[in-house]
Amino acid sequence: MKRNRNHLTAWLSAVILTAALLALPVYVPAAAEDVVFTQQPQSGVVNIGQPYTFTFETNRPCECMLQMREGSTYDWGNMEIVTSPYTIPDHPFEATFEYRLIVDEEEKTYYSDVFTVQWKRAENETTLYIEDGTFSDLPLGYGAVEAVPLAVTNTGAYATENLRAYLAEDSSLELIENRTPQAIPAGQTDHETWSVRPRQGLGVGYYQDSVFFAADNVEITTVFYPFTVVESDAEIVYEAQADPIDFGTLPVGYGEQEMIDLTVRATGTGNLSHVHLQLGEGADRFFSLQAQNASLDTLHAGQSTGSNWSLRLNSGLKAGTYQ
């Protein structure tokens, strides 16, 4: 029997968070010395589609935020807290960006030297062509769908180098790698390495996700595979679960902790509406919450919130167990 409702407000009021602190003696200096970048991050040039890794050192432990801007006429924007070495993700087009590290402690702010990363076209750049495809409508509760081969044609003048395929976070598609990727010579087509199909367990709705292809000498190329899940006799169940988080056991006086994703999953067959967090009174006394979006209008069945919410264990906690 199918339930006659289309939406459900998902309240996540009980996420298990635990941390334990051991009462170990810790030396606390009288006053922190100024932060000095004893090794400065260096500028570099890489091909389009390649990441860039830089290293740095400071004279003492501290929290370094990476900032970026398109040029000196733009304001700096915060990216994330980083540690050395750090890899800046690949960029799909020609571009040059400026970066710097910033340490903000109480009333003092410290900066690294500004460094640039340039993404340029490879001298042996080539191009790809992959035809978009589609799947027939799928009834709610469908089983495994037959995978469709992806025909990747090298339409340029050089063989591909380090060709790879990937999906966006929490994609509605499943990408299958049938064999180890190989270089595709100019003018030839590879239809054996990758195939794609819809993921199982998705709720009613229209989905249009992409498969991304990149190589050291190829700009990112995308292929679309849309499909629709339609109502059927399958029962619609609205359900959500949050992955538990355990911050582990730490000594008193531990340093700054990294952010950990708080992932919520729609585990039923129905799509959830207005998905947001509700914290119990004092629940955030030992952690801080960071959100890209305070609430999500829709969370499709079979999908998760990914990195929308993340938590960090607070510093300066006394010995004890927290949950």
Side-chain angles (χ1 to χ4, degrees):
M1 180 72 67
K2 181 166 64 178
R3 300 179 188 174
N4 185 22
R5 52 177 174 163
N6 297 321
H7 302 286
L8 176 73
T9 297
W11 295 85
L12 304 173
S13 57
V15 177
I16 300 176
L17 306 171
T18 61
L21 303 180
L22 301 181
L24 301 179
V26 176
Y27 169 73
V28 180
E33 59 183 324
D34 288 342
V35 174
V36 176
F37 285 89
T38 53
Q39 178 185 337
Q40 295 284 355
Q42 300 298 308
S43 300
V45 179
V46 292
N47 289 341
I48 292 172
Q50 288 185 318
Y52 179 75
T53 300
F54 67 89
T55 58
F56 63 94
E57 291 182 0
T58 55
N59 61 321
R60 62 176 177 82
C62 56
E63 185 178 86
C64 296
M65 170 71 74
L66 180 64
Q67 295 185 319
M68 182 191 77
R69 66 181 182 183
E70 293 186 39
S72 57
T73 59
Y74 294 87
D75 294 332
W76 288 100
N78 291 338
M79 292 183 63
E80 59 182 318
I81 302 297
V82 300
T83 56
S84 181
Y86 178 78
T87 299
I88 300 173
D90 56 8
H91 192 75
F93 310 109
E94 282 189 304
T96 300
F97 297 105
E98 293 184 346
Y99 297 87
R100 73 179 180 186
L101 298 170
I102 177 174
V103 178
D104 203 350
E105 295 184 346
E106 297 180 354
E107 298 181 356
K108 290 188 176 182
T109 302
Y110 309 92
Y111 300 96
S112 74
D113 292 346
V114 175
F115 63 103
T116 61
V117 180
Q118 178 187 359
W119 280 271
K120 67 177 184 62
R121 295 182 182 276
E123 294 182 359
N124 62 337
E125 183 184 45
T126 192
T127 54
L128 299 179
Y129 172 75
I130 311 103
E131 185 175 359
D132 293 340
T134 187
F135 292 94
S136 300
D137 289 353
L138 302 172
L140 182 65
Y142 61 90
V145 178
E146 184 176 356
V148 175
L150 291 173
V152 184
T153 301
N154 183 347
T155 54
Y158 299 93
T160 60
E161 295 183 354
N162 188 26
L163 181 62
R164 50 204 181 271
Y166 57 94
L167 300 172
E169 182 181 35
D170 204 38
S171 172
S172 62
L173 298 172
E174 179 185 359
L175 180 64
I176 302 169
E177 188 173 284
N178 303 302
R179 65 175 187 177
T180 302
Q182 303 172 9
I184 304 177
Q188 294 192 19
T189 300
D190 175 2
H191 51 78
E192 300 178 3
T193 302
W194 294 281
S195 54
V196 65
R197 64 186 175 192
R199 284 176 41 202
Q200 287 187 253
L202 297 172
V204 172
Y206 175 73
Y207 298 85
Q208 181 175 311
D209 282 326
S210 303
V211 181
F212 302 91
F213 286 86
D216 293 350
N217 60 337
V218 174
E219 287 192 8
I220 291 179
T221 305
T222 60
V223 55
F224 294 93
Y225 264 84
F227 61 93
T228 301
V229 178
V230 298
E231 292 189 8
S232 70
D233 291 334
E235 181 183 13
I236 298 180
V237 178
Y238 299 90
E239 200 172 68
Q241 292 183 1
D243 294 350
I245 292 178
D246 188 345
F247 291 108
T249 300
L250 302 168
V252 171
Y254 59 86
E256 189 75 30
Q257 298 296 293
E258 294 186 358
M259 301 295 295
I260 300 176
D261 288 341
L262 170 58
T263 304
V264 180
R265 306 177 189 278
T267 53
T269 56
N271 300 328
L272 305 182
S273 299
H274 187 41
V275 181
H276 58 284
L277 297 180
Q278 178 176 317
L279 301 178
E281 184 177 354
D284 58 350
R285 70 188 188 282
F286 68 95
F287 65 86
S288 57
L289 172 67
Q290 178 176 300
Q292 296 181 27
N293 298 286
S295 66
L296 302 176
D297 292 337
T298 303
L299 181 61
H300 285 277
Q303 295 192 306
S304 78
T305 57
S307 57
N308 184 68
W309 294 304
S310 54
L311 303 175
R312 173 181 283 134
L313 186 65
N314 293 340
S315 300
L317 296 177
K318 297 180 180 179
T321 299
Y322 299 78
Q323 66 178 30

